[in-house]
Amino acid sequence: MEPAPAPRCDRLLVHYAEIGTKGGNRRMFEEVLCRNLAGALRDSVTGGFGRESGRLTARLAPGADPGAAAARAAMIPGVAWCAPARTVRSDLEVIREAVLAAALSHGDGAFRIDARRTDKSFPLDSPAINATLGATVVSATGRPVSLRAAVHTYGVEVDRQRSYVFTERLEGPGGLPVGCEGELVALVSGGLDSPVAAWRMMVRGCRIHLVHFLNRSVSTNRVVEKIEALAARLSLYHGPLPLTFVPFDEAQREIVMVVPAEIRMIVYRRMMFRIAELIRAEHRAMGFVTGDSVGQVASQTLENLAVIRAAAEWPVYSPLCGLSKSEITEMARGIGTYEISILPHEDCCSFLVARHPETKADRGAVEALERFDAPALAARVFAGRESRTVDPRPPIS
Ligand code: ATP
Ligand code: MG
């Protein structure tokens, strides 16, 4: 038998899992998530997202592609899963008809019903709804039920005012919506790690301000384009994303004049934190994010990380510090930054550094060698910064 056309979905159903810091925060959490979803999906939904019985829903705009809208919602931090759904009356026979229509639009294969009753006054409980709808589909299609090996799952959510029937469930990143926490200044290098680190802190609810240091005498426009491409990708998760470029060449020239090659990398990194501190203060951010992973490169021994971080006045969050390169690479693929990160670029930190750098730096020794006016240099470099906001929507041309 030819499958019937799939019934049209008119709604987006969004479920969340984690609610941060417990207590009376659920409402705040839901409001932030509604706002972020509405921003990301403003072309695909009408009337915004509303809260009902532990889920959020929005009406799909006429002409919107339900699958594409759900895929977009599935990128938003805080979303556990979402689905394009068909809205029906909370009446068992109407629900039965909708599930049957969905089942008839699929070919063969085992199926299962996954019903949830949030309206406890509905005459059947969830297992009973599963049983009766399952029996209907079996007798109409001859397809077997399999809880473990179902090819299709028919989701049903029964609420007081209305019910939802859906077949396609997309997993989101979970975590907390961006804006539940304060802001962090994320140092992004153009490598694989730092964009993933920034993303991980977004999924903890933090607002992010990206900062990249570049040496204009060694780098081409390619670096700027690469960082912008990374920011554009990350903005799909974050929403409009502030990005600051800092010209680092003057600082590097000054460091090269007085600091031996073996510890220049460490001193560059310390200088980055002094400049990033001025950006942090300007935006009242609460700390920094880096892509450090312990032991991955010479600057990431515990000794060197300790000396580098001593220059930061606010906490440094490095969510990848305990992960392997292959774990980080897999995450980069998952969030779509991998293809951008592997493009070649000129790294400002390779500017006149030793081939065999110090791996066991001593804080006192490094500080003694920093014979330049670091606060004045940081202030001068900071003055040359260039900031913009990267919007997730491509500009209309
Ligand atoms: P990445 O893959 O992000 O480059 P990495 O593991 O290769 O990280 P390093 O290149 O040693 O490590 O840099 C450590 C961290 O310092 C980076 O993850 C990033 O947070 C920060 N960083 C390094 N270079 C820059 C830069 N030019 N601009 C901004 N931040 C930087
Ligand atoms: Mg790097």
Side-chain angles (χ1 to χ4, degrees):
M1 190 170 64
E2 273 296 296
R8 164 136 185 104
C9 293
D10 60 307
R11 277 206 192 237
L12 210 52
L13 212 60
V14 174
H15 280 261
Y16 48 82
E18 188 178 342
I19 294 175
T21 24
K22 312 286 180 268
N25 281 341
R26 184 191 186 105
R27 213 189 160 81
M28 184 276 265
F29 173 101
E30 289 173 333
E31 277 166 9
V32 175
L33 186 53
C34 280
R35 206 164 51 232
N36 294 353
L37 283 163
L41 286 144
R42 57 187 177 278
D43 293 336
S44 312
V45 304
T46 50
F49 282 78
R51 304 169 312 190
E52 46 181 76
S53 318
R55 72 173 87 78
L56 309 175
T57 75
R59 226 179 291 240
L60 283 163
D65 174 350
R72 185 72 190 91
M75 296 179 88
I76 302 303
V79 172
W81 61 271
C82 63
R86 191 175 157 197
T87 312
V88 294
R89 209 149 39 83
S90 287
D91 172 299
L92 184 61
E93 294 320 309
V94 177
I95 295 169
R96 195 190 305 281
E97 220 171 280
V99 169
L100 195 53
L104 289 170
S105 76
H106 294 139
D108 298 332
F111 78 93
R112 62 192 282 238
I113 309 282
D114 184 9
R116 247 182 40 145
R117 178 185 68 154
T118 43
D119 170 20
K120 299 299 173 207
S121 69
F122 193 75
L124 272 62
D125 66 7
S126 304
I129 301 171
N130 284 336
T132 182
L133 297 179
T136 301
V137 174
V138 169
S139 70
T141 66
R143 290 165 59 190
V145 173
S146 172
L147 299 188
R148 292 242 179 101
V151 181
H152 292 110
T153 297
Y154 302 113
V156 179
E157 294 195 359
V158 181
D159 206 355
R160 193 179 294 268
Q161 298 99 332
R162 54 183 101 89
S163 295
Y164 304 103
V165 173
F166 55 96
T167 57
E168 195 193 347
R169 176 180 152 138
L170 287 86
E171 301 301 310
L176 303 172
V178 173
C180 282
E181 286 287 342
E183 184 166 334
L184 293 172
V185 171
L187 280 60
V188 280
S189 66
L192 256 176
D193 307 320
S194 40
V196 178
W199 180 83
R200 294 215 56 122
M201 297 315 292
M202 289 176 194
V203 177
R204 297 315 305 154
C206 304
R207 283 182 291 119
I208 294 292
H209 185 128
L210 298 180
V211 176
H212 178 76
F213 296 88
L214 77 166
N215 184 324
R216 290 162 303 184
S217 63
V218 297
S219 54
T220 62
N221 213 32
R222 196 157 66 168
V223 180
V224 172
E225 282 164 15
K226 181 174 177 174
I227 299 297
E228 281 174 337
L230 285 169
R233 182 72 200 167
L234 291 173
S235 72
L236 291 171
Y237 303 96
H238 181 275
L241 185 55
L243 167 63
T244 296
F245 285 99
V246 179
F248 201 48
D249 16 314
E250 183 189 350
Q252 291 188 295
R253 278 196 301 274
E254 203 148 321
I255 291 166
V256 165
M257 281 197 287
V258 297
V259 173
E262 288 70 28
I263 65 156
R264 276 178 199 153
M265 181 71 95
I266 293 166
V267 175
Y268 291 162
R269 287 278 144 75
R270 284 167 58 83
M271 200 62 210
M272 285 183 188
F273 276 122
R274 294 192 185 100
I275 300 159
E277 167 58 25
L278 302 174
I279 298 168
R280 186 210 62 73
E282 186 182 34
H283 296 277
R284 297 206 185 88
M286 310 285 287
F288 307 101
V289 186
T290 72
D292 290 305
S293 161
V294 171
Q296 197 192 87
V297 294
S299 56
Q300 292 168 352
T301 62
L302 292 181
E303 289 85 351
N304 288 1
L305 285 170
V307 176
I308 292 167
R309 278 141 197 258
E313 288 178 40
W314 281 67
V316 181
Y317 297 93
S318 300
L320 313 181
C321 68
L323 300 182
S324 69
K325 195 77 195 182
S326 62
E327 288 167 317
I328 299 167
T329 303
E330 197 181 317
M331 283 179 205
R333 285 189 201 277
I335 64 171
T337 53
Y338 177 83
E339 293 74 12
I340 308 167
S341 283
I342 58 169
L343 298 171
H345 76 282
E346 305 81 14
D347 175 13
C348 80
C349 289
S350 50
F351 184 64
L352 299 180
V353 294
R355 228 155 18 110
H356 299 289
E358 177 62 81
T359 54
K360 290 192 164 20
D362 174 78
R363 183 169 166 186
V366 169
E367 283 173 355
L369 287 164
E370 285 179 332
R371 285 185 301 256
F372 52 86
D373 185 348
L377 181 57
R380 274 204 308 284
V381 171
F382 172 69
R385 73 196 179 284
E386 270 179 42
S387 298
R388 67 201 71 177
T389 298
V390 178
D391 200 89
R393 282 213 303 193
I396 297 156
S397 51

